[in-house]
Amino acid sequence: MMLNGAEDEEKWLAEGIAGIQHNAFYMHRALDSNNLREALKYSAQMLSELRTSKLSPHKYYDLYMRAFDELRKLEIFFKDEGKHGVSVVDLYELVQHAGNILPRLYLLCTVGSVYIKSKEAPAKEVLKDLVEMCRGVQHPLRGLFLRSYLAQVSRDKLPDIGSEYEGDADTVMDAVEFVLQNFTEMNKLWVRMQHQGPGRLREKREKERNELRDLVGKNLHVLSQIEGVDLEMYKETVLPRVLEQVVNCKDDLSQYYLMDCIIQVFPDEYHLQTLETLLGACPQLQPTVDIKTVLSRLMDRLSNYAASSADVLPEFLQVEAFAKLSNAIGKVIEAQVDMPAVGAITLYVSLLTFTLRVHPDRLDYVDLVLGACVKKLSSIPKLDDSRATKQVVALLSAPLEKYNDIVTALTLSNYPRVMDHLDNGTNKVMAMVIIQSIMKNNTCISTVDKVEVLFELIKGLIKDTDGADVDELDEEDFKDEQNAVARLIHMLYNNEPEEMLKIICTVRKHTMAGGPKRLPFTVPSLVFSALRLIRQLQGQEGDIVGEEVPATPKKIFQLLNQIIEDLSNVPSPELALRLSLQCAEAANDCDLEHVAYEFFTQAFVLYEEEIADSKAQVTAIHLIIGTLQRMNVFGVENRDTLTHKATGYSARLLKKPDQCRAVYACSHLFWVDDQDGIKDGERVLLCLKRALRIANAAQQMANVARGSSGPVTLFVEILNKYLYFFEKGNQQITGAAIQGLIELINTEKQNDSATPDSASDAFLASTMRYIQFQRQKGGIMGR
Amino acid sequence: MVLVLAIGDLHIPHRAPDLPPKFKSMLVPGKIQHIICTGNLCVKEVHDYFKSLCPDLHVTRGEFDEDSRYPENKTLTIGQFKLGICHGHQVIPWGDLDSLAMLQRQLDVDILVTGHTHQFKAYKHEGGVVINPGSATGAYSSFTYDVNPSFVLMDIDGLRVVVYVYELIDGEVKVDKIDFKKTATTRSAQ
């Protein structure tokens, strides 16, 4: 059925075009022979093709354009009185004898154009006559094109100021009046189209109407181009008249299009000065009009206008643009109860963008907009429309981008309330945006209050929120989030130790709520934050501030103890051990023997009771030994206790090679190179000998297991240690001992029937070279 | 000319939020042929970042690294040089150059790159060179109070390596360079 219709239309169009071409041919002949009568006859016949009702707007336009082109030639002929001998006044009368009204009026407009050009009558009179005569055609499609023709030919002949057709007083008014009238009539015709034909074809009609809308809108464009239309005239006449038609036509398609047209076509300064009038029309429009889009576009335009130059900003203040716009939006949202969430929020986003551009210093305005949005969000049960969610994120991101300083956003009281309305997933995304903004701008958050607000904003990351589905948690995302929080902690800083300690306590309070999943990520950052504070306090020795007990290293160490204890719930013993050792070193630097001892005890407990994996044990014991080696705060008794424990655990590691290495590492516990350091040569040697015994045992085990001894690497390592202490001046290590060890190594190598181990061979070789080099240097290595 | 970036001990996110911006703007992809990382990144994000700078990335395990699969030490050959990497917490006493020299002998390398102390060092001894690129973020170190962010760029050319150290001091990047030449002694193990 449809296909037939389309085919038919093609046929009719073809017929129409053929008709035009046919008559045009004869018309041209008449023009060439200066035959006015014939010209009029054939042109009227040609124009009769436009009387058709069978074509859609798109095809009618095709026909119209062909006629239009032909009429241009006719106009040239009309203009040349010499050719046809009839005065333009008479011509104007003559063409009205044409049989049918549509051709008659097209011809009349064409002559009218010539008439105005001739200046034999004031432009305003001719135009007035034409615009009224066109009433004769009430068919919507035909009427629209006819009046469009009138608009086209009259365009350059309006009695504007400075135009050659300028009349006497009120000349601009005449031009405006003409265009307004044409506009009004065209809109009426356009609206009438909506009600033509059966209800089931409504969609088709609307589509066709949309194709024609620019014909109507063109008039507004013409109005904006009239020089004589200044702000005053726009305000007093043009806008009220246009709005009157817009409101009265009660057609939502027309209203939406024309409101948008007004906004796009007239200058932004005009809109600012007529804001009240313009906005006042909004509630009067049909409820089905998408007024929010209109308002959004208006605000976008005004935002751009504000951004274009700083000079225009005072104007905004003078007309109280913000107040007017936010009131208008409020009214619209209130009136349109069925407006979906995304619509309302989009409006607020536009208003916020406007506010940030025009009044960036007015944080109270920004907060107001957020507050209005909260109110709207509170009225809907749940935000589950993804587009609406996107808009909320846009709303929240705008202040961050504008101010480049999260601290400003933190002062907006409604900001966290907006975030509360996001679903968990989006809330977390927003929290990440906030953190990234801080990181990117290197912002420092320096007071407890701001830290509290910040953690309120990112609470979706800090802890499990009610109703959060734990199964949904993507592990990668979770890690990213927690690492982001960990990095954030370093941005929370105040130079003032008291405040800084309060900040640390606040952060601890919040991160504790995160539970065992999150603590391994956040605790390290907090610990090092605290250790840095301790260092700072060390540097500020002797400053006792007032009567209040100041932040002291001791207090902070107590706190650190508790923080590391928190990890036991995870459990995270390896991390806890490492952090305990860090604290021990820091306590050492503060000369707090007891505190350092406690941290070591803690580390040993963790080692004994919770670190079971053999590889982890090896690393852990080396960390303990390495840290202990650097301690200078311990008295003899404490040091001995700890050293004894370390060596004991070293000897009890699972694998013999590991035992060996840990034990010879312990040798350094008895020799510290600085001037006050312990230098117990005997115990060093005891350690090395013990290591040697273990290495021997390892060799024997390898022998039993594989039928040949293993690589001699361990022996070479121990040899290197002998050399080390020998050079340091340990009297207990003799050249003979070294020599003996070298011989032992060589013997073991010979006994090794398996393929030679190039690594241990190379090691031995380089060690021998080292010995050689030292000998040549002279000094201690005499032999 | 082969450029090798030696970098480590960033301790992100435990002790530092990020690399200094001035360093970040200097480290661009495509300029460096190898990256040697002493360890303590500590998270995958940093690993991925280094990988984006240069696909030939070598990392050894630091005691705070999240990924426990990094090796304790690693050796590789670049041009005429054999390089060894080890974080350094395994070598006691920490930072002791003689003990590090022992590790160097054990790995049988010309250049040993190591970290842990967060202090830049370039030390030549009879067996070769020990380089510590310091901490690229200037992270807290129990070892020293005075940590400036630093990293090292080695230019390996034949038997010569030029070590450029980049340090961020009072907000400005300062560069220093040290030349090392390798004697072409053949050291074949019998």
Side-chain angles (χ1 to χ4, degrees):
Chain A
M1 194 62 208
M2 275 298 278
L3 210 55
N4 268 344
E7 274 175 22
D8 286 338
E9 249 199 81
E10 285 292 341
K11 195 178 70 153
W12 294 323
L13 176 61
E15 284 174 5
I17 292 172
I20 288 184
Q21 284 169 340
H22 176 85
N23 287 297
F25 172 75
Y26 288 108
M27 185 186 84
H28 295 157
R29 275 231 303 224
L31 296 182
D32 289 339
S33 51
N34 293 343
N35 189 336
L36 180 63
R37 267 197 71 203
E38 293 278 292
L40 289 177
K41 170 175 157 198
Y42 285 110
S43 59
Q45 274 175 219
M46 175 185 78
L47 288 164
S48 289
E49 297 296 340
L50 291 176
R51 292 175 62 212
T52 176
S53 314
K54 294 179 185 159
L55 297 176
S56 66
H58 193 68
K59 301 231 173 344
Y60 190 92
Y61 175 74
D62 196 341
L63 212 57
Y64 164 86
M65 281 314 292
R66 287 164 197 272
F68 182 89
D69 290 339
E70 297 305 333
L71 286 174
R72 301 283 62 68
K73 296 171 193 153
L74 190 60
E75 183 176 345
I76 293 169
F77 177 71
F78 283 163
K79 191 149 167 257
D80 196 342
E81 191 175 328
K83 286 202 171 170
H84 54 75
V86 179
S87 73
V88 69
V89 180
D90 290 338
L91 201 50
Y92 195 77
E93 215 260 316
L94 196 57
V95 296
Q96 294 185 44
H97 293 299
N100 293 306
I101 186 161
L102 192 69
R104 186 189 318 153
L105 289 173
Y106 271 102
L107 289 173
L108 194 64
C109 291
T110 312
V111 176
S113 169
V114 177
Y115 199 169
I116 296 172
K117 271 213 184 118
S118 73
K119 301 205 180 118
E120 297 222 10
K124 82 166 188 207
E125 282 182 22
V126 181
L127 291 172
K128 190 161 193 303
D129 195 39
L130 290 173
V131 78
E132 303 234 322
M133 293 284 266
C134 282
R135 283 198 194 185
V137 178
Q138 284 299 316
H139 181 270
L141 186 62
R142 295 197 287 266
L144 273 171
F145 274 96
L146 173 63
R147 284 191 179 274
S148 186
Y149 180 71
L150 172 58
Q152 275 180 290
V153 300
S154 63
R155 181 81 200 271
D156 54 343
K157 300 172 187 77
L158 297 175
D160 193 1
I161 312 178
S163 108
E164 54 181 300
Y165 306 106
E166 187 176 354
D168 40 14
D170 279 341
T171 177
V172 179
M173 205 51 227
D174 297 326
V176 168
E177 200 46 62
F178 165 73
V179 180
L180 278 174
Q181 222 185 322
N182 205 23
F183 160 74
T184 304
E185 293 305 315
M186 282 177 83
N187 193 39
K188 285 184 186 163
L189 290 169
W190 190 39
V191 169
R192 191 178 305 153
M193 276 183 85
Q194 186 71 18
H195 309 287
Q196 269 183 316
R200 59 187 164 80
L201 292 175
R202 186 173 65 89
E203 214 173 285
K204 177 163 175 271
R205 277 202 299 280
E206 280 178 0
K207 180 168 168 288
E208 290 183 350
R209 280 192 64 196
N210 266 320
E211 288 172 7
L212 293 166
R213 65 188 192 185
D214 286 339
L215 293 181
V216 181
K218 192 80 201 295
N219 293 296
L220 296 180
H221 188 72
V222 170
L223 280 170
S224 75
Q225 300 286 304
I226 297 177
E227 289 280 342
V229 174
D230 56 4
L231 175 60
E232 192 61 35
M233 180 163 290
Y234 177 78
K235 209 169 162 178
E236 299 299 318
T237 310
V238 175
L239 185 63
R241 285 278 295 276
V242 172
L243 284 179
E244 191 186 340
Q245 171 56 213
V246 170
V247 169
N248 289 345
C249 77
K250 294 198 184 344
D251 175 80
D252 52 8
L253 209 104
S254 165
Q255 285 178 340
Y256 177 77
Y257 172 70
L258 289 174
M259 285 299 284
D260 196 47
C261 212
I262 294 169
I263 293 167
Q264 301 303 329
V265 149
F266 290 103
D268 297 314
E269 315 118 73
Y270 286 17
H271 294 317
L272 258 190
Q273 297 296 333
T274 56
L275 208 49
E276 204 141 10
T277 315
L278 194 57
L279 294 174
C282 292
Q284 300 177 54
L285 302 177
Q286 299 300 102
T288 42
V289 172
D290 182 12
I291 193 60
K292 61 177 174 7
T293 308
V294 173
L295 286 173
S296 291
R297 283 157 77 91
L298 174 63
M299 283 187 283
D300 291 342
R301 269 197 81 96
L302 292 175
S303 297
N304 288 332
Y305 181 49
S308 67
S309 137
D311 296 334
V312 308
L313 291 177
E315 225 183 301
F316 280 82
L317 292 165
Q318 184 230 346
V319 304
E320 292 177 21
F322 175 78
K324 290 190 180 137
L325 285 167
S326 61
N327 277 337
I329 290 172
K331 285 210 187 92
V332 165
I333 291 179
E334 233 176 291
Q336 295 188 5
V337 278
D338 294 329
M339 188 194 288
V342 60
I345 300 165
T346 310
L347 266 172
Y348 284 123
V349 173
S350 294
L351 182 58
L352 186 64
T353 311
F354 171 84
T355 313
L356 290 172
R357 284 257 186 101
V358 178
H359 305 290
D361 52 328
R362 296 296 299 263
L363 291 172
D364 55 333
Y365 282 178
V366 177
D367 212 17
L368 270 172
V369 178
L370 293 176
C373 195
V374 169
K375 200 162 152 231
K376 175 67 188 175
L377 287 170
S378 305
S379 70
I380 51 179
K382 194 171 170 248
L383 200 67
D384 50 12
D385 172 12
S386 71
R387 286 176 310 150
T389 304
K390 264 208 180 107
Q391 286 299 325
V392 176
V393 172
L395 188 76
L396 292 170
S397 304
L400 295 181
E401 282 156 21
K402 173 73 188 178
Y403 294 119
N404 256 350
D405 172 9
I406 189 70
V407 180
T408 311
L410 291 177
T411 62
L412 298 166
S413 65
N414 285 310
Y415 198 95
R417 292 189 203 140
V418 176
M419 278 192 74
D420 281 340
H421 286 276
L422 291 169
D423 63 275
N424 286 328
T426 316
N427 192 305
K428 287 203 277 185
V429 168
M430 200 57 224
M432 290 294 276
V433 169
I434 291 171
I435 295 180
Q436 274 150 15
S437 167
I438 296 173
M439 304 306 305
K440 189 181 79 157
N441 296 311
N442 217 11
T443 316
C444 180
I445 318 286
S446 57
T447 66
V448 176
D449 298 327
K450 296 206 186 91
V451 171
E452 288 279 10
V453 177
L454 177 60
F455 274 78
E456 174 66 24
L457 291 179
I458 63 174
K459 65 181 182 229
L461 299 177
I462 303 292
K463 58 182 185 216
D464 294 326
T465 40
D466 311 314
D469 192 349
V470 188
D471 293 331
E472 277 175 8
L473 217 56
D474 178 83
E475 209 186 293
E476 283 294 320
D477 288 344
F478 181 75
K479 272 195 185 158
D480 286 342
E481 288 164 14
Q482 296 313 308
N483 282 328
V485 176
R487 291 161 78 155
L488 178 65
I489 291 175
H490 298 291
M491 311 308 286
L492 314 175
Y493 175 77
N494 192 312
N495 225 348
E496 224 296 276
E498 287 297 333
E499 189 69 18
M500 187 61 207
L501 184 56
K502 286 193 193 133
I503 289 176
I504 290 174
C505 292
T506 308
V507 174
R508 178 176 179 227
K509 178 183 77 181
H510 285 281
T511 52
M512 280 282 279
K517 265 190 313 188
R518 293 182 173 79
L519 286 173
F521 293 93
T522 51
V523 163
S525 289
L526 195 53
V527 166
F528 285 104
S529 228
L531 287 174
R532 281 194 291 260
L533 178 57
I534 290 174
R535 265 203 189 158
Q536 186 188 340
L537 285 170
Q538 277 185 281
Q540 290 177 5
E541 300 221 53
D543 284 0
I544 309 289
V545 185
E547 290 145 3
E548 230 180 80
V549 180
T552 61
K554 239 187 168 178
K555 261 176 126 181
I556 303 172
F557 278 121
Q558 274 174 349
L559 180 61
L560 279 166
N561 210 342
Q562 289 165 6
I563 293 174
I564 297 175
E565 267 296 306
D566 297 340
L567 284 175
S568 64
N569 294 329
V570 178
S572 205
E574 289 179 54
L575 181 58
L577 181 135
R578 284 152 174 72
L579 294 174
S580 298
L581 292 174
Q582 288 286 331
C583 291
E585 274 200 86
N588 179 75
D589 294 338
C590 290
D591 229 355
L592 296 167
E593 181 179 0
H594 184 69
V595 176
Y597 190 81
E598 281 305 312
F599 279 116
F600 262 99
T601 309
Q602 199 174 41
F604 274 118
V605 167
L606 287 162
Y607 180 87
E608 289 159 38
E609 298 182 6
E610 300 197 45
I611 299 181
D613 175 71
S614 61
K615 194 158 170 264
Q617 282 185 336
V618 173
T619 308
I621 200 65
H622 275 276
L623 290 174
I624 291 174
I625 298 168
T627 311
L628 189 52
Q629 198 265 346
R630 293 170 52 75
M631 298 286 103
N632 51 33
V633 75
F634 290 130
V636 175
E637 214 179 285
N638 279 339
R639 194 180 174 91
D640 273 350
T641 311
L642 295 174
T643 308
H644 182 76
K645 270 194 156 171
T647 39
Y649 285 125
S650 298
R652 292 202 292 277
L653 286 167
L654 185 65
K655 301 183 188 144
K656 289 239 177 286
D658 292 331
Q659 288 174 8
C660 178
R661 292 185 170 114
V663 166
Y664 75 60
C666 286
S667 67
H668 290 280
L669 292 174
F670 304 105
W671 194 280
V672 175
D673 224 1
D674 60 36
Q675 59 182 94
D676 301 322
I678 174 177
K679 290 187 179 66
D680 191 339
E682 216 173 278
R683 289 170 87 178
V684 166
L685 185 58
L686 277 172
C687 260
L688 293 181
K689 280 187 172 169
R690 196 172 179 185
L692 211 46
R693 282 198 298 277
I694 300 172
N696 261 318
Q699 282 291 64
Q700 282 172 10
M701 276 175 68
N703 221 345
V704 166
R706 283 181 289 150
S708 69
S709 50
V712 297
T713 312
L714 285 175
F715 291 116
V716 183
E717 290 174 40
I718 299 170
L719 169 61
N720 273 272
K721 285 299 166 189
Y722 267 72
L723 293 168
Y724 177 92
F725 286 107
F726 183 79
E727 290 199 31
K728 292 291 180 192
N730 184 347
Q731 307 277 335
Q732 304 296 322
I733 298 188
T734 61
I738 294 174
Q739 196 55 35
L741 191 47
I742 296 174
E743 281 162 19
L744 169 65
I745 293 170
N746 285 322
T747 314
E748 287 295 322
K749 275 183 64 179
Q750 280 167 357
N751 288 344
D752 187 4
S753 52
T755 44
D757 182 341
S758 59
S760 67
D761 285 347
F763 189 14
L764 179 60
S766 55
T767 309
M768 297 310 295
R769 269 199 306 278
Y770 171 69
I771 297 174
Q772 194 63 16
F773 180 78
Q774 293 296 89
R775 274 202 198 126
Q776 282 167 1
K777 242 174 51 177
I780 296 184
M781 290 278 260
R783 164 38 178 149
Chain B
M1 170 169 114
V2 177
L3 287 179
V4 183
L5 173 67
I7 192 166
D9 287 311
L10 293 93
H11 288 280
I12 294 170
H14 303 149
R15 306 188 198 182
D18 205 355
L19 267 173
K22 287 202 168 161
F23 279 178
K24 262 197 159 161
S25 61
M26 291 171 68
L27 297 172
V28 289
K31 297 277 178 62
I32 298 164
Q33 280 76 55
H34 309 273
I35 299 184
I36 287 177
C37 183
T38 53
N40 277 342
L41 304 178
C42 303
V43 287
K44 183 168 177 290
E45 209 182 296
V46 182
H47 181 110
D48 291 341
Y49 166 70
F50 284 148
K51 212 64 203 262
S52 78
L53 291 180
C54 164
D56 194 42
L57 172 65
H58 306 270
V59 187
T60 50
R61 194 174 75 96
E63 79 275 31
F64 279 95
D65 273 313
E66 171 187 74
D67 191 345
S68 57
R69 294 168 303 172
Y70 294 136
E72 296 289 321
N73 56 54
K74 203 169 186 191
T75 55
L76 62 151
T77 305
I78 297 176
Q80 302 279 354
F81 285 87
K82 280 160 68 181
L83 293 98
I85 323 167
C86 180
H87 177 250
H89 65 270
Q90 306 93 329
V91 180
I92 292 163
W94 292 336
D96 180 63
L97 291 167
D98 293 319
S99 301
L100 289 170
M102 165 180 152
L103 176 63
Q104 184 154 14
R105 289 193 283 275
Q106 185 165 10
L107 296 177
D108 192 27
V109 291
D110 304 306
I111 303 174
L112 175 67
V113 182
T114 177
H116 188 55
T117 61
H118 300 201
Q119 280 177 319
F120 161 72
K121 282 266 189 307
Y123 168 71
K124 182 169 169 62
H125 61 96
E126 156 273 343
V129 174
V130 176
I131 294 176
N132 185 334
S135 160
T137 53
Y140 173 97
S141 164
S142 56
F143 214 83
T144 167
Y145 279 44
D146 195 12
V147 190
N148 288 316
S150 66
F151 66 87
V152 155
L153 205 55
M154 292 184 278
D155 182 357
I156 296 181
D157 191 4
L159 292 173
R160 184 167 166 252
V161 57
V162 183
V163 175
Y164 295 94
V165 56
Y166 295 80
E167 261 186 293
L168 190 64
I169 303 176
D170 293 331
E172 291 301 317
V173 178
K174 302 243 164 39
V175 190
D176 213 344
K177 81 171 200 201
I178 309 166
D179 252 88
F180 292 108
K181 246 206 172 82
K182 172 177 159 166
T183 45
T185 47
T186 45
R187 304 190 292 154
S188 47
Q190 296 304 330

